[in-house]
Amino acid sequence: MFIEMDLQSEVPLYAQLVDQLIEGIASGALHPGDPLPSVRSLAADLGINLHTVNKAYTLLKQEGFLQVHRKQGVVVNAEGMPGVTEAFERKLDAQLKTLAAEAAVRGLSAEAFAEKCAGAYRSAITGGGESL
Amino acid sequence: MFIEMDLQSEVPLYAQLVDQLIEGIASGALHPGDPLPSVRSLAADLGINLHTVNKAYTLLKQEGFLQVHRKQGVVVNAEGMPGVTEAFERKLDAQLKTLAAEAAVRGLSAEAFAEKCAGAYRSAITGGGESL
Amino acid sequence: MFIEMDLQSEVPLYAQLVDQLIEGIASGALHPGDPLPSVRSLAADLGINLHTVNKAYTLLKQEGFLQVHRKQGVVVNAEGMPGVTEAFERKLDAQLKTLAAEAAVRGLSAEAFAEKCAGAYRSAITGGGESL
Amino acid sequence: MFIEMDLQSEVPLYAQLVDQLIEGIASGALHPGDPLPSVRSLAADLGINLHTVNKAYTLLKQEGFLQVHRKQGVVVNAEGMPGVTEAFERKLDAQLKTLAAEAAVRGLSAEAFAEKCAGAYRSAITGGGESL
DNA sequence: GTGGTCTAGACCACG
DNA sequence: GTGGTCTAGACCACT
């Protein structure tokens, strides 16, 4: 399994799991229709509580990334991913602005910042950690 | 003052304050050496608790954005801003990767994402909300 | 057969089956005395478990919508449908109130809600999906 | 408090709470901006676990009915209620169709059904139990 | 004291 | 065995 939890991180475990599952879909490691591990087995694998996994799955279901299939359990939404919602756009803009401001203050040029962003996108869709 | 608190946001008040002060520096609204309002007066202006303002100032001092001046109180660090630290780079990479992954999954192209990023940087250094 | 199961729905399969059989009777696709497929064949047709079909049939028999005929197996109750029981009235009132409250809060007018309801009734007795 | 839990009901406790809070808003017992009891106190009042209350609040926050205000705790969304979303329309249509079909089969006329619906709406916006 | 998070253990409906 | 629900008790960040 390509998922790793950082117990020291200030990011909640369920949020880490949400992020990594989305990265898994972005990188092509998970395709629409693919089944995910059951909450119990994934919790056991990761060494965390099943409710924590459940919370991550529930959030992703509500956002439309996952579905509960009555026979196959939890699967990646087979009808495709949710589009760019207004809420996501707001979140993206707000976080990018905050990051960009700190980057600018610290002396990172517009070009360097743009390259960081491009690298992050490339890294996300290839699943690699390189070019970061 | 150009600072506004969003009491409904999920971002803690002290973090909002930190972000907005950094954005103020990035946009040129605040220059190195500029004095900041006292903890008391800013807290009163924003209608928030003393402790909250204090926590934001303390964090910014630790990071090197602010310093304590004998007579002027808290000022923007006159000796310049901290550079790109390893910790900042890690934070930037991690957050960008997470954002890029969700953007990609939602169907935002690499070009559209890059344009968002460039717009955020532009917006940060001009202080405008435009082109976001 | 006009029945379709939605494996992604949050409604249990047996409940979906119950609902669709009642809708079949309402629309006139099934008449009193009409034979239903055997548990085995229907389960095979729908690709679901025997137990699931059995549970739906059992519930409908208990409510009086179906009966067991010596030679034809399970048939739509030839002696007519059950009337408006107290239990049904309670269920109807409770669910309508909940739906109406959310509709009202979301800004749906009394007239628009009434039209929705009338459309649903029309749709139910004609078997169409129109005007919904 | 006007909220009552039915421990015998097949409807989950958190869902009962969600429904009753929406009914409270519909009836005018709760206005936009009004503060709600803390999860702890409401749980104590209702004799249920605070996580159950928390789940209801969280759902209502995600739907846009409630907000977390950093000073006042949980409040009814002061910027107004969410509108008629596609998801709500689907839910409404599906549930109304199922109810209408059973009502029709049981011999309830279109007029009687319409009157039930109108009564439910009236009851929801007045907060009364009458005319149901 | 507030909401948010995590863990733990249990029961149930479903298939 | 699956997800869903409920309870219980604990810690933490925030204000």
Side-chain angles (χ1 to χ4, degrees), chain B residues 36-59:
Chain B
L36 268 67
S38 74
V39 172
R40 273 198 160 61
S41 69
L42 185 51
D45 276 6
L46 299 175
I48 61 179
N49 197 295
L50 286 179
H51 300 346
T52 308
V53 177
N54 210 352
K55 182 163 186 176
Y57 277 11
T58 302
L59 274 171

Side-chain angles (χ1 to χ4, degrees), chain C residues 4 11 25 31 37 41 43 48 61 63-64 69 71 75 79 84 92 96 99 108 112 119 132:
Chain C
E4 285 181 11
V11 181
I25 300 173
H31 298 89
S41 68
I48 61 180
K61 277 183 278 186
E63 291 283 334
H69 187 279
K71 300 203 160 168
V75 302
E79 291 144 21
V84 178
L92 181 59
L96 281 180
L99 288 174
L108 206 66
L132 272 183

Side-chain angles (χ1 to χ4, degrees), chain D residues 19-30:
Chain D
D19 290 342
Q20 296 205 27
L21 288 172
I22 290 180
E23 287 169 20
I25 298 172
S27 71
L30 291 171

Side-chain angles (χ1 to χ4, degrees), chain B residues 78-95:
Chain B
E79 291 144 22
M81 292 294 108
V84 178
T85 62
E86 200 186 317
F88 172 66
E89 204 154 12
R90 270 202 306 275
K91 184 184 81 170
L92 181 60
D93 287 342
Q95 290 197 22

Side-chain angles (χ1 to χ4, degrees), chain B residues 59-131:
Chain B
L59 274 171
L60 288 166
K61 278 182 277 186
Q62 285 173 348
E63 291 284 333
F65 294 102
L66 303 183
Q67 62 184 171
V68 182
H69 187 279
R70 290 195 178 276
K71 299 202 161 170
Q72 294 179 287
V74 177
V75 303
V76 179
N77 194 334
E79 291 144 22
M81 292 294 108
V84 178
T85 62
E86 200 186 317
F88 172 66
E89 204 154 12
R90 270 202 306 275
K91 184 184 81 170
L92 181 60
D93 287 342
Q95 290 197 22
L96 281 179
K97 178 166 182 180
T98 299
L99 288 174
E102 182 166 354
V105 168
R106 285 182 183 273
L108 206 67
S109 70
E111 291 74 29
F113 182 71
E115 182 46 43
K116 280 273 188 201
C117 294
Y121 193 95
R122 254 180 279 129
S123 167
I125 60 178
T126 62
E130 80 288 0
S131 72

